[in-house]
């Protein structure tokens, strides 16, 4: 799963809170955070205990991701609308800490400020509900709503560069991979949107949850474009790829 998948955005609020969806046609439970799938009817072992698929999916989320709350709160401000300070306060709210104790934990401020944060966040929640209703009504009247490509969670800056519809994305790939999507790149574009579409596609040549040496990364990129160093640099700059500071390992992060 590259970035936040379309499956995540199509999930209901309740499904997002659970952290997984059940896909009836495939008879699979799918983790919305990392995309792992668990087959209904199969038994999964964990620490000398056997679990049926749905229970194991819940265990997987807890063991691998902490909780859906932790995952959602870790998302960029562009997605949550929350500053780091607000995120800290939301965490205290969830833990049931009193306003006066939150002031102590933060090392300053006042209980009235904390109460104002509670009020502001509740108002944001109301606005979000209304916006969801508005957009649902808009899309009900739209013959073919525009779907945008998914954004990598590790993207450093989420801005208009990532506002690419699936239709635009296909057109860009067709232009710059004119020998087919698995073929070489004809040229690396200067326009930002086109760069994003191409880099997202190239990132899919790498396996998730695997670390690569710099040499291995270069070998894969050389098959795509002669100036592989530029491609590697942009993959990192745009958040599609990460690496250790000493360049000892590179990987694609979901």
């Amino acid at each position: 799963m590259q970035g936040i998948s379309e499956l995540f955005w199509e999930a209901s609020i309740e499904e997002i809170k659970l952290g997984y969806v059940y896909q009836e046609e495939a008879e699979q439970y799918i983790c919305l955070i990392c995309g792992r799938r668990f087959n209904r009817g199969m038994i999964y072992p964990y620490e000398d205990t056997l679990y049926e698929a749905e229970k194991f999916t819940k265990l997987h989320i807890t063991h691998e991701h902490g909780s859906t709350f932790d995952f959602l709160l870790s998302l960029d401000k562009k997605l949550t609308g929350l500053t780091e300070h607000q995120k800290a306060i939301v965490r205290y709210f969830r833990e049931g800490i009193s306003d006066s104790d939150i002031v102590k934990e933060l090392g300053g401020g006042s209980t009235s400020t904390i109460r104002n944060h509670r009020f502001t966040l509740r108002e944001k929640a109301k606005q979000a509900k209304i916006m969801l209703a508005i957009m649902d009504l808009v899309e009900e009247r739209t013959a073919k709503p525009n779907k945008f490509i998914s954004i990598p969670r590790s993207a450093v800056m989420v801005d208009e560069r990532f506002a690419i519809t699936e239709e635009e994305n296909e057109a860009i790939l067709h232009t710059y991979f004119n020998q087919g999507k698995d073929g070489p790149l004809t040229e690396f574009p200067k326009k930002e949107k086109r760069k994003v579409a191409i880099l997202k596609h190239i990132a899919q040549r790498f396996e998730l949850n695997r670390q690569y040496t710099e040499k291995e990364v270069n070998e894969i990129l050389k098959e795509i474009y002669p100036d592989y160093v530029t491609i590697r640099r942009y993959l990192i700059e745009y958040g599609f790829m990460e690496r250790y500071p000493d360049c000892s390992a590179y990987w694609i992060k979901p």
Side-chain angles (χ1 to χ4, degrees):
M1 183 178 70
Q2 178 66 40
I4 297 179
S5 69
E6 192 64 31
L7 192 63
F8 178 92
W9 297 119
E10 291 173 354
S12 67
I13 297 296
E14 287 305 312
E15 287 170 333
I16 290 174
K17 285 163 62 179
L18 287 171
Y20 67 91
V21 295
Y22 177 64
Q23 207 168 63
E24 195 165 352
E25 60 273 19
E27 295 190 331
Q28 291 179 326
Y29 296 94
I30 307 171
C31 174
L32 290 173
I33 300 173
C34 69
R36 278 194 62 185
R37 295 169 178 259
F38 305 96
N39 297 314
R40 183 181 178 185
M42 285 190 65
I43 301 298
Y44 295 85
Y46 180 75
E47 293 186 350
D48 300 324
T49 304
L50 300 177
Y51 297 87
E52 55 87 18
E54 186 170 16
K55 286 186 178 179
F56 189 77
T57 305
K58 294 176 182 178
L59 180 66
H60 159 79
I61 291 169
T62 302
H63 181 71
E64 297 293 332
H65 308 299
S67 69
T68 51
F69 176 80
D70 291 333
F71 165 70
L72 294 171
L73 207 59
S74 73
L75 295 174
D76 190 85
K77 183 186 175 184
K78 288 277 187 179
L79 299 177
T80 65
L82 299 173
T83 65
E84 291 303 314
H85 182 65
Q86 288 173 322
K87 287 181 180 181
I89 292 173
V90 166
R91 193 174 292 280
Y92 290 135
F93 288 166
R94 188 170 190 264
E95 292 171 359
I97 298 176
S98 67
D99 292 353
S100 57
D101 285 339
I102 291 175
V103 171
K104 293 176 185 176
E105 290 288 338
L106 294 174
S110 65
T111 54
S112 61
T113 300
I114 301 302
R115 283 196 296 273
N116 184 57
H117 276 296
R118 287 187 188 272
F119 174 79
T120 301
L121 290 169
R122 284 174 181 146
E123 290 302 300
K124 279 192 173 187
K126 291 176 185 176
Q127 291 169 358
K129 284 183 179 179
I130 292 172
M131 179 55 70
L132 282 172
I134 289 171
M135 291 308 298
D136 278 350
L137 291 168
V138 168
E139 293 194 357
E140 282 176 7
R141 297 291 297 273
T142 304
K144 189 179 179 182
N146 287 326
K147 286 190 175 182
F148 292 90
I149 63 170
S150 58
I151 298 171
R153 281 178 55 196
S154 52
V156 178
M157 291 188 294
V158 180
D159 51 29
E160 64 276 1
R161 293 177 299 178
F162 289 88
I164 306 169
T165 66
E166 292 179 352
E167 188 176 354
E168 286 177 315
N169 188 64
E170 286 301 310
I172 292 168
L173 296 183
H174 179 74
T175 299
Y176 287 89
F177 290 92
N178 57 20
Q179 295 182 37
K181 290 182 184 179
D182 295 329
L185 179 67
T186 54
E187 63 175 302
F188 193 65
K190 294 180 180 179
K191 291 189 176 181
E192 296 298 317
K193 275 193 175 185
R194 294 177 184 180
K195 284 181 185 175
V196 170
I198 287 168
L199 292 169
K200 183 177 186 297
H201 180 67
I202 290 174
Q204 294 170 0
R205 302 277 184 103
F206 296 86
E207 295 178 23
L208 289 175
N209 303 315
R210 175 185 165 184
Q211 291 190 347
Y212 294 82
T213 64
E214 187 171 285
K215 183 179 178 181
E216 288 173 327
V217 171
N218 292 345
E219 288 302 317
I220 291 171
L221 296 181
K222 280 179 187 177
E223 295 180 359
I224 301 170
Y225 194 62
D227 188 3
Y228 59 89
V229 175
T230 294
I231 302 295
R232 190 184 69 216
R233 176 167 57 86
Y234 276 115
L235 282 170
I236 294 166
E237 284 186 9
Y238 281 58
F240 289 97
M241 177 176 278
E242 294 190 20
R243 68 180 177 186
Y244 289 125
D246 62 359
C247 301
S248 60
Y250 293 73
W251 64 93
I252 299 295
K253 187 175 179 180

